[in-house]
Amino acid sequence: MKNKITRRAALGLAGGALAMPFTARSGFGQSYPAKPVTVIIPFGAGGTTDLIGRIVCEKLSQRMGKSFVIENRAGAGGNTGVAGLAHSAPDGYTIGMTTPSTHGINPNLYKERLPFRPLEDFEFLSLASSQPNFMCCHPSLPAQNVAEMIAYLKANPNKEAFASSGIGTSIHLSGELFQQLAGVKMQHVTYRSSGALIQDVVSGNVKITFDNFTSPYPHYKAGTIRGLAVTTTQRAKIAPEIPALAETLPGFDIASWNGFLAPKGTPKEICDRLIVEMRAVLQDPTVVSRFEELGAAATPSGGDEARAKAISEMAKFKGIIDKAGISIQN
């Protein structure tokens, strides 16, 4: 009969379907996701990366019809969470976030003890946001601007301390770069969280910080701390009255950025779908507006741009770390 398929022919068709590579499966990328996706954020809840991740994942869940579920895995300056991502199944159902700590600073601090390979172990998906750090101080200090702060610190070497959320964070290295370019000396005091350090700056227990913009900004608006400068080359859109450090110290450029990764070997169709959806989310006016309220700019990109960012950040922070002689002890 014309439409009859023999058993041998049917087996042949089935074998051909099984042998068909991922790239040839019709609509494979469009059928993803078929279940919830875990998104590893390598820092605790409430920080800038967590807030950005939650905004993006909320929109991804709406657009893609399945939940993108945040899992905070803090520890070792982001290494714990990113190492967990590197060793997750490359099936698209576990992705994660990256920051200057995990793909700029830590490779230079931990070197061969880094528990993942920063470039080889991941598929880069997209950058997400960028915001400056915020140099600010307790109002009891006499300096009203960056130039006056430099003059004060030169006249009082090691009298003042700057606060950070840990050795090797972008906050710490902003302080180190400031000392290098300004020719001043300060002590360094570490805290377990950004919230804790800001409270001590507000109270005057430690008087200077270069914290991520989001945390000190409300205190600056309230007048309980003095804002001196942002650490990026451009002023922050949300606070254009605050100068950039580069206006006084040419070449100063440190941003607190973040982006998304998948484990190496995640199928290209899934990565491509995520890149398309993330770009749409990061161009959504409501998302752009919510980022701006945090002092951040949306930075949609492709995987190649995200990978290039990691490479350039590792090179930049190597120079700062080597000059400061910073190391992580066993």
Side-chain angles (χ1 to χ4, degrees):
M1 293 178 63
K2 184 177 180 181
N3 294 322
K4 184 176 180 179
I5 301 177
T6 66
R7 182 174 180 274
R8 179 176 294 180
L11 289 172
L13 288 170
L18 290 172
M20 186 181 297
F22 259 145
T23 54
R25 293 183 191 176
S26 175
F28 173 62
Q30 294 304 311
S31 67
Y32 166 86
K35 61 181 181 179
V37 177
T38 297
V39 183
I40 296 174
I41 294 181
F43 296 96
T48 302
T49 300
D50 178 70
L51 293 173
I52 294 295
R54 290 178 187 278
I55 292 170
V56 173
C57 288
E58 177 187 357
K59 287 292 185 179
L60 285 175
S61 298
Q62 293 171 6
R63 288 184 59 86
M64 301 183 75
K66 295 293 180 182
S67 296
F68 281 68
V69 182
I70 298 294
E71 182 177 318
N72 296 97
R73 290 194 204 175
N79 286 350
T80 300
V82 173
L85 175 64
H87 296 101
S88 296
D91 57 5
Y93 290 98
T94 304
I95 63 174
M97 294 190 73
T98 176
T99 70
S101 292
T102 63
H103 279 79
I105 297 168
N106 290 354
N108 292 297
L109 286 179
Y110 291 85
K111 298 179 181 178
E112 69 278 358
R113 292 185 291 112
L114 194 72
F116 57 87
R117 297 176 299 170
L119 300 178
E120 296 85 353
D121 286 349
F122 306 97
E123 307 290 350
F124 287 80
L125 300 173
S126 177
L127 297 170
S129 77
S130 179
Q131 69 170 194
N133 289 346
F134 191 5
M135 182 184 182
C136 46
C137 69
H138 189 266
S140 64
L141 288 181
Q144 300 293 319
N145 54 50
V146 174
E148 290 181 6
M149 179 62 80
I150 292 172
Y152 171 77
L153 294 173
K154 283 185 174 180
N156 298 275
N158 279 320
K159 178 181 178 181
E160 303 297 342
F162 75 96
S164 86
S165 54
I167 293 174
T169 60
S170 69
I171 304 169
H172 172 208
L173 293 182
S174 292
E176 293 293 345
L177 182 58
F178 176 78
Q179 293 180 95
Q180 292 171 12
L181 295 182
V184 300
K185 293 291 184 182
M186 295 183 286
Q187 300 177 57
H188 176 217
V189 180
T190 62
Y191 290 78
R192 293 182 63 86
S193 69
S194 181
L197 78 84
I198 282 298
Q199 288 306 315
D200 257 17
V201 174
V202 169
S203 66
N205 291 331
V206 62
K207 295 181 180 177
I208 301 168
T209 189
F210 299 79
D211 199 6
N212 300 152
F213 191 90
T214 301
S215 184
Y217 181 67
H219 300 282
Y220 158 72
K221 294 294 288 184
T224 53
I225 60 174
R226 179 179 300 139
L228 297 177
V230 295
T231 61
T232 44
T233 57
Q234 302 296 319
R235 298 188 179 201
K237 186 175 181 180
I238 194 174
E241 73 280 6
I242 302 171
L245 266 169
E247 294 172 31
T248 303
L249 299 172
F252 202 110
D253 183 20
I254 291 180
S256 180
W257 56 271
N258 45 58
F260 288 89
L261 306 165
K264 186 68 176 179
T266 300
K268 184 177 184 300
E269 295 88 345
I270 289 178
C271 292
D272 289 346
R273 176 87 192 280
L274 286 168
I275 290 168
V276 168
E277 297 294 344
M278 286 177 181
R279 184 180 296 275
V281 165
L282 293 166
Q283 292 175 334
D284 184 314
T286 61
V287 170
V288 172
S289 178
R290 290 175 72 182
F291 280 16
E292 288 177 351
E293 291 171 2
L294 298 173
T299 56
S301 78
D304 289 344
E305 294 167 272
R307 180 184 176 87
K309 179 71 170 180
I311 293 170
S312 67
E313 290 285 285
M314 285 189 283
K316 174 172 69 180
F317 283 114
K318 182 179 188 304
I320 300 171
I321 289 167
D322 288 351
K323 187 171 183 179
I326 305 166
S327 64
I328 296 291
Q329 301 298 321
N330 287 316

